[in-house]
Amino acid sequence: MTWRVLRTRAALGLSPGIVPVSAYVPLGFLLGPAVANVLSADVLAHLDAVVSIALATLGVFVGLAVASQSRSSSPLFAAAAIESGVTIAVVAGSLIFLADHWHLPLSTSAAVAALVLGAAGAASAAGSAEGGERIVDPVATHVADLDDLLPIAIGAFAVASAVPRSGDVTVSVAALWLPAAIGLIVGMIGWLLFESALPVERGVFVIGTLAMIGGAAAYAGVSPLAAGVVSGTFWRLTPGRADDIIAADLRKFHHPLVLLLLLDAGAQIVPSALAVWLFAPFVVFRLTGKLIGGWAASRVSPALAAEALGAYLVPPGVVGVAVALNYQQVQPADGAAIVSAVAAGAVLFEWISAIVTHQRPPH
Amino acid sequence: MTEAQPRAARSRETRLLVVTLIVSAGMLMLLARFRFPERPHAEEVPAAPLERLAARATYEELSGILRTLDRQIAAQVIALPLGPTSEAPAVNDVEPSFVPAIRISADRAVALVDPEHAHATAADGSASAVDPARGVTVVTAPWSNVNPPIVAAPAELDAPGYLAGVEVTRNGPVVRPLYVGRVDAMPDPRWDEPLLRLSGLQQMLPDGAAIFTLDGRFVGLARPERRSLIVVPAGALQRTADRLATRGPVADAPAVTLGIEVQGLDAALRAATSADAGVIVTHVAPDGPAAGQLRIGDVIRRVGDAAAGSIAEYRAQVATLAIDAPVALEVLRGGTPASISVTPVAMTAATATPDLGLELRTVRGIGAAVVAVAPGSAAARADLRPGDIITFAAGKDGPDAAAVVRACRELAPGRQLLVGVTRESRHLVMALPAR
């Protein structure tokens, strides 16, 4: 069971062992407008559409993983929700407090920016497998899989809040539910198409479905990540082989998409005073949040060791970066500083994690 | 021993947690003592999702949209030639000799033409029905299976934004981008739905121009007023045209005149006359119905019960008057309001020669001034122009308007009438054909 979980996670590319954030984010920064300008601002603007599809794809991965584990691991699911909830509360709460004292020049509400940082910080990518051979901590891997859900939901709320809409309250309320609606509708379309399609045309349907999730969500100004989660969960929970089909097909190109997200995040890093001022509390209070969250989660599930869990959940992985990137798409002014803080923090946390987990024996 | 180990571990975790909390709180207090060094910048409006990729508005894109629109509406717009008017030109600089008539069915089109032009277009057979009070002219269009344009609901208009203005030249329709800063509803008792005031415009359109949305829906027909455009919505035009169709042509009723010429008020005239709206009298025909009643410089603010805030409103109201029925004009004379009664007369009585397409007024002691020349008429072919003064006709120096008209009518068929004309600083002799 443990091996199956770890293989799934490694195959989905959510493990830092498979996708080293610390390699690709700095590479993106070096190629980006701040340094070499190979990935110029114009190129990044044109990549926006692909990034939306990549976010949707990542959401589908998360949805598939969460749905498959939540049914069999209810206590772990509760523990993961508590751990991520505590981290979000600690990071967002401290940033709201500091933003008020610092008079940060944010374009939108400080609360929304703080929620995005909290959500990006709450996502985890526990050390899992290196080359699929060595188990690091299966419990932490479970929790890391499950604790992506709340950050994605909070990130979706922040994205929907950040996009200016008409003064009608119903439009704003509808925007909160739009990712779920898009995910369900497109998920249903995919479900109807995948199994009946011939093998040669199935790939086209899969890519088209993902493009539809990402495109529709981005056009409506809501989170493609959340829409993808809903679709992935739908495919996993509905009868049939839709989940297996899409997992098999996506396995062929998920690495390039995740790589694209990390390179894009690196290229989006803008060395600014605001980014530095967000980076410092993000690092400090994310660490605090993970430790407190790990302790709180261990109260729910006795199988968890608080200290170990907190340590293993330190690296934010791709999902945290994706949440920040998603916000940056709809709110470029603040988003650039947030992506910079989160991407740089992800690199730092991965180094911290490598040191901590190297000294700790498998659980 | 085995139970003591987890308990000890939990105790250590709890101590670690407490330390973490204390350190974090201390860090928070420490960080809160700092201030961000930069001043807050102005709030930026965030770009819409994918906007950076998809919505880069350029002039080329706008041009492309207008080219598509031009092709789309080409078959829906008909050039309607204008007849002459007896009164002064409107304040707008460009008064076209054509106005666009927009198809409302397979064989009918509707145009907005000021009342006197409307009578002229009706008289020369261009119009099938005229509503002079509203300035609506319905023309019979060559039969076509092209669908009439879809009507845009006024509520759908977004401002600020771009619409398309359509005017016509001799060579066909011309489409222009029209930036609109604001759209306001403006109730008008003559119409069954509010008119639209388009303001904050970058440029004006000529009288009668058609307004379309950029995706080709018909908004209405426009009249310039000061720095705004007053648009009669497409729906109101359609209903008026339908009423005219069931009632039949009304152009056989003669046009009426008060025997005066007017012009709109600009800022300088408003300041000089202390009038905020109205039309100012520029000429009073000595033998007309207003002679001795109105003076040059009077500002007419109301005709009967209706406001005459602009040339268009004044003309529309005059067109509704009945011949020989006195009407009260609310006038501002030297800053003092006054009510003056004038009895309208038929326009063709003594000053117009419909056969020649010529309209005149007397310039006492000098001759007869040409007020208007109908396009394509005998007078136009003889090269008479508005502003010319006929100083000699039928062997008589300094003939008044009535004398010239009489001489034209008495001319035998096939003969020509020699007239002496002063045009600016030149003196000419012309031959006017009999009919």
Side-chain angles (χ1 to χ4, degrees), chain A residues 260-274:
Chain A
L260 170 77
L261 285 180
L262 293 176
L263 285 176
D264 190 67
Q268 299 278 5
I269 291 178
V270 180
S272 66
L274 181 60

Side-chain angles (χ1 to χ4, degrees), chain B residues 17 23 36 38 47 52 64 67 81 112 114 154-155 172 192 209 284 304-305 321 340 361-362 378 397 400-401 412 432:
Chain B
L17 179 71
V23 170
F36 191 80
E38 292 180 7
R52 286 181 294 168
R67 272 196 296 276
L112 204 57
D114 74 61
D192 57 5
V284 180
D305 294 331
L321 299 178
I340 294 173
R361 68 173 163 80
T362 301
D397 287 326
D400 60 14
L432 283 177

Side-chain angles (χ1 to χ4, degrees), chain A residues 137 140 287 290-299 303-314 356-357 359-361 363, chain B residues 8-17 20:
Chain A
D137 193 310
L287 200 55
K290 282 293 171 192
L291 292 175
I292 299 173
W295 180 85
S298 68
R299 306 297 102 175
L304 302 175
E307 189 186 351
L309 187 61
Y312 282 120
L313 296 181
V314 161
V356 171
T357 53
Q359 296 170 347
R360 189 174 295 279
H363 189 259
Chain B
R10 299 236 170 203
S11 172
R12 193 169 65 84
E13 286 168 1
T14 307
R15 281 200 302 275
L16 180 65
L17 179 71
T20 305

Side-chain angles (χ1 to χ4, degrees), chain A residues 16-17 23 25 53 71-72 85 87 109 117 156 175 186 196 228 266 268 273 276 278 287 295 324 355:
Chain A
V25 169
I53 297 169
R71 283 183 295 188
S72 57
T87 309
S109 158
L117 278 163
V186 182
S196 59
Q268 299 278 5
V276 173
L278 289 176
L287 200 55
W295 180 85
I355 295 165

Side-chain angles (χ1 to χ4, degrees), chain B residues 410-415 434-435:
Chain B
E410 289 171 354
L411 202 62
R415 301 293 302 272
R435 343 213 143 189

